[in-house]
Amino acid sequence: MSVKKTTAPLMEEITGPTPRQILRKRVTGHTGLLFGLAVVLILLFVAIFAPLLAPHDPYAQSLSSRMVSPVFLGGTWEHPLGTDHLGRDYLSRLIYGARVSLLIGAVAAAISGVIGTAMGVAAGYFGGKVDAVVTFLINVRLAMPVVLVALAVVAILGGSLQVVIGVLGLLLWDRFAVVMRASTLQVRRREYVAAAQAIGASTSRVILSEIMPNIVNNLIVIVTLEMAHAILLEAALSFLGLGVQPPTPSWGLMISEGKNMMLFEPWLVLIPGVVLFMLVLAINLMGDGLRDVTAPENRS
Amino acid sequence: MLPFILKRLGLAILVALTVSFISFSLLFLSGDPAAALAGETASGEDIEAVRVLYGFDRPMLVQYSEWLMRAVRGDFGESYYFKLPVASLIAERLSVTMILGACGISFALLTAVPLGVVAAIRPNSIVDRFALFLSVAGQAMPSFWFGLILIVVFGIKLGWLPPSGASSWRHFIMPTVVLGYYAMPAIMRLTRAGMLEVLNSDYIRTARAKGAGEGRVLFKHALRNAIIPVVSLAAVQMGFMLGGSIVVESVFALHGAGYLAWESIARNDLPTVQALILIFSMFYIVFTFLADVLNAWLDPRMRSS
């Protein structure tokens, strides 16, 4: 009864899946990437709509309801995650804290990305003296202890969101420069670059429309890794009291403030730490996943 | 070999000089160091007196070269806060940090290398997956938070280990774990990748074909070659660790150089901060130099680059 297949084979049966189909299959089959992407998108949503989602004002203190336990430890739904030592709603502070972390991570990674990419691409493309200078600068940057220099600069200039972002942006460009230099070196010798040069394309045109599109995969991966790095560093600086200043709701600051009471109220330290861990884990999984999907040959 | 060492040494010295200049110029980041030092209530005359006393009235390059000349001889000036020579302050604290750094890197190597080897021998096994999970989770864990959790669990709830201080070897266990776990993912991934590559190479097949035992193949033939890049990574990580000790030491109240750095930064004690940045950088520069030389000695192909 089965109908015998008499039609000619379809185009896709001959040519196999298109690159787009392969990509889609790789993305949907990659649990880590999907999980990371989901968590990052949820936290991004929370950060953007913080004023609508937060049940209370994150700055509003209340002396009568200090250190209320979270609902799973016998608290009430009035404060689902309890309140801190000044009676501020913990969930609201957590929600606004997502803004601080994501903003610092994104802007710092963008600044260092621009610096590092410019240096790395210039070194890889021009080689010679430019390469020597950039390699030297990378060496200098790697020799300086990031946490120490960042703490010292923040202490001198005063802790604020802008200073922390600026310091991290100016310090975290090393991996961008290293990876972009190596990627440019690989791409530079390809025929299409030689072809573009042969037909008289300007240097900026060769770099922007021949080199950049072919190394942007690697760039995106480093952006995610450095974003995670910047978020962790901001938390560490704020924890040490030399990052974002109180009363700004920063997760690192929340851990620092909860630390003195962690013996009796360990959730004050646990909750912001777990959220911070989840965000950084998600960003890293997203970065690893993007690398696996777009450039599986770079997997180590 | 000698030209390689000389060239590498020249680079190390240039890097060290540049870092020293950057850490010196921190003094001028705040604007007027004399005004900062004299305090908010100081009059113009007071500030001028401080300026002359500390020599801030001279050109910056003159001050830098003088500072550098004294720093090379181990004289970093006097701490603004402690009113003691910075060099003796740091010397007193540095041993704790060096013990911590050595323990941290040993812990990382002793756990990450075996895990990486087993993961490479049995790809996709439970051990491999566990190692992968550990490396992904490890990179995402904020070290100060991890330290606090250990203090609550092992220091207080279980009472197995002292939560802070540095008076016995037991005080170093938790800080070692916290400092060391951060270097583990990178070392483990590199060991695993190196072993996987080496195990697929022709000389391993030759060794097996000759009838060499599996243990001999793995350790004498494979690991020896796979471990070479791990050496330089460990040196880099050791340098990062000394920088990371600032967070770990403040969590566990270990009074080492990292803790001193935090105290001096909070107190605006710039001579101490400058000296510490320079010393931590010097450790990194020396470690990476030694690692590169060691690598070139182990693997002659490295000498040409």
Side-chain angles (χ1 to χ4, degrees):
Chain A
M1 286 299 285
S2 65
V3 181
K4 212 174 181 185
K5 197 173 180 182
T6 51
T7 49
L10 291 170
M11 197 58 193
E12 58 190 77
E13 286 168 29
I14 302 169
T15 56
T18 62
R20 190 176 294 266
Q21 285 168 326
I22 296 177
L23 191 66
R24 190 176 304 151
K25 197 169 177 196
R26 281 200 198 135
V27 171
T28 49
H30 199 294
T31 328
L33 175 61
L34 294 178
F35 172 80
L37 207 60
V39 172
V40 171
L41 287 179
I42 290 171
L43 282 169
L44 193 64
F45 176 83
V46 166
I48 292 172
F49 296 103
L52 300 174
L53 293 168
H56 296 272
D57 176 357
Y59 297 100
Q61 304 182 7
S62 163
L63 288 178
S64 58
S65 56
R66 288 185 301 169
M67 314 272 287
V68 172
S69 296
V71 70
F72 49 85
L73 290 173
T76 63
W77 283 103
E78 170 67 14
H79 299 288
L81 294 180
T83 60
D84 67 4
H85 61 297
L86 296 173
R88 297 174 294 195
D89 183 57
Y90 225 50
L91 178 62
S92 306
R93 289 186 69 72
L94 211 59
I95 288 174
Y96 274 86
R99 284 189 158 186
V100 173
S101 280
L102 285 170
L103 185 72
I104 288 182
V107 183
I111 296 174
S112 53
V114 170
I115 300 173
T117 307
M119 288 173 69
V121 171
Y125 187 77
F126 296 112
K129 281 188 180 136
V130 180
D131 189 22
V133 170
V134 169
T135 310
F136 176 72
L137 289 177
I138 293 173
N139 271 311
V140 170
R141 164 50 209 88
L142 283 173
M144 299 204 303
V146 180
V147 181
L148 194 52
V149 174
L151 281 174
V153 174
V154 172
I156 292 169
L157 296 180
S160 71
L161 211 57
Q162 291 90 325
V163 169
V164 173
I165 290 175
V167 169
L168 293 181
L170 292 178
L171 278 173
L172 300 182
W173 49 264
D174 51 292
R175 199 165 359 181
F176 285 103
V178 170
V179 174
M180 288 295 99
R181 176 180 171 272
S183 313
T184 309
L185 274 175
Q186 268 179 10
V187 172
R188 191 183 63 170
R189 297 197 191 88
R190 299 274 166 83
E191 285 91 349
Y192 53 80
V193 176
Q197 286 164 339
I199 59 170
S202 66
T203 306
S204 59
R205 195 186 154 85
V206 172
I207 290 177
L208 289 178
S209 48
E210 305 294 335
I211 307 253
M212 282 311 285
N214 289 293
I215 60 175
V216 80
N217 290 349
N218 293 343
L219 180 61
I220 293 171
V221 174
I222 308 300
V223 167
T224 58
L225 293 179
E226 286 308 311
M227 192 171 158
H229 193 185
I231 290 173
L232 276 181
L233 274 175
E234 179 275 320
L237 296 184
S238 300
F239 172 78
L240 290 172
L242 288 158
V244 178
Q245 295 302 303
T248 313
S250 144
W251 294 340
L253 207 53
M254 288 169 78
I255 295 174
S256 168
E257 287 165 349
K259 165 183 79 162
N260 299 326
M261 290 152 278
M262 70 176 181
L263 270 188
F264 313 102
E265 310 284 353
W267 52 269
L268 281 173
V269 166
L270 270 175
I271 293 172
V274 168
V275 179
L276 179 61
F277 172 69
M278 290 298 286
L279 174 62
V280 176
L281 182 69
I283 296 177
N284 280 338
L285 284 175
M286 202 173 75
D288 286 355
L290 283 174
R291 187 203 48 217
D292 292 350
V293 167
T294 58
E297 66 277 7
N298 290 345
R299 194 186 215 154
S300 63
Chain B
M1 188 72 191
L2 192 65
F4 172 82
I5 294 181
L6 288 178
K7 215 176 135 192
R8 188 62 189 73
L9 188 65
L11 176 71
I13 292 172
L14 262 180
V15 170
L17 281 175
T18 315
V19 170
S20 76
F21 184 72
I22 294 172
S23 62
F24 177 77
S25 45
L26 270 184
L27 185 61
F28 297 90
L29 194 63
S30 55
D32 187 351
L37 199 57
E40 281 169 18
T41 55
S43 67
E45 281 167 33
D46 292 343
I47 294 175
E48 214 46 51
V50 169
R51 200 189 308 283
V52 174
L53 180 66
Y54 283 90
F56 295 140
D57 51 342
R58 295 165 307 153
M60 185 179 166
L61 274 178
V62 173
Q63 293 182 51
Y64 167 65
S65 56
E66 199 183 281
W67 176 78
L68 185 67
M69 282 305 135
R70 284 193 287 125
V72 169
R73 278 179 271 132
D75 177 5
F76 290 99
E78 191 180 71
S79 153
Y80 293 164
Y81 178 81
F82 292 99
K83 306 288 176 206
L84 287 167
V86 171
S88 62
L89 258 182
I90 293 176
E92 194 183 302
R93 305 283 197 97
L94 205 55
S95 59
V96 170
T97 302
M98 281 164 69
I99 294 172
L100 184 59
C103 292
I105 196 72
S106 312
F107 172 76
L109 284 171
L110 289 175
T111 49
V113 171
L115 258 180
V117 170
V118 176
I121 297 173
R122 303 243 179 285
N124 292 320
S125 65
I126 295 179
V127 177
D128 189 20
R129 299 214 170 160
F130 172 71
L132 186 69
F133 166 78
L134 210 65
S135 79
V136 174
Q139 275 176 334
M141 187 109 82
S143 57
F144 60 94
W145 183 68
F146 184 40
L148 290 178
I149 302 293
L150 288 186
I151 289 177
V152 170
V153 175
F154 295 102
I156 293 153
K157 293 270 174 347
L158 295 173
W160 291 352
L161 293 165
S164 66
S167 40
S168 78
W169 63 272
R170 295 175 66 237
H171 288 86
F172 282 90
I173 295 177
M174 287 196 286
T176 296
V177 173
V178 174
L179 195 61
Y181 93 91
Y182 200 73
M184 275 178 62
I187 294 175
M188 202 207 70
R189 283 181 179 203
L190 196 63
T191 310
R192 180 180 179 275
M195 278 301 273
L196 273 177
E197 198 188 316
V198 169
L199 284 175
N200 285 324
S201 63
D202 290 338
Y203 61 84
I204 294 298
R205 198 176 317 128
T206 310
R208 286 206 173 114
K210 285 195 306 184
E214 194 57 26
R216 195 181 154 83
V217 169
L218 282 179
F219 294 104
K220 189 138 192 294
H221 296 268
L223 187 59
R224 263 196 173 189
N225 284 295
I227 207 84
I228 292 177
V230 176
V231 172
S232 55
L233 178 69
V236 171
Q237 292 288 347
M238 177 92 187
F240 287 153
M241 264 184 192
L242 289 174
S245 67
I246 184 167
V247 176
V248 176
E249 285 180 14
S250 66
V251 170
F252 290 98
L254 271 177
H255 287 242
Y259 195 82
L260 179 66
W262 182 54
E263 283 177 305
S264 332
I265 288 170
R267 286 163 177 157
N268 253 323
D269 190 353
L270 268 174
T272 317
V273 177
Q274 287 174 325
L276 282 167
I277 292 178
L278 189 59
I279 288 173
F280 280 137
S281 305
M282 285 307 293
F283 271 110
Y284 178 89
I285 292 167
V286 171
F287 286 142
T288 47
F289 170 72
L290 291 178
D292 282 355
V293 171
L294 187 64
N295 251 334
W297 181 58
L298 290 172
D299 185 350
R301 284 170 300 181
M302 301 273 182
R303 287 173 211 171
S304 57
S305 62

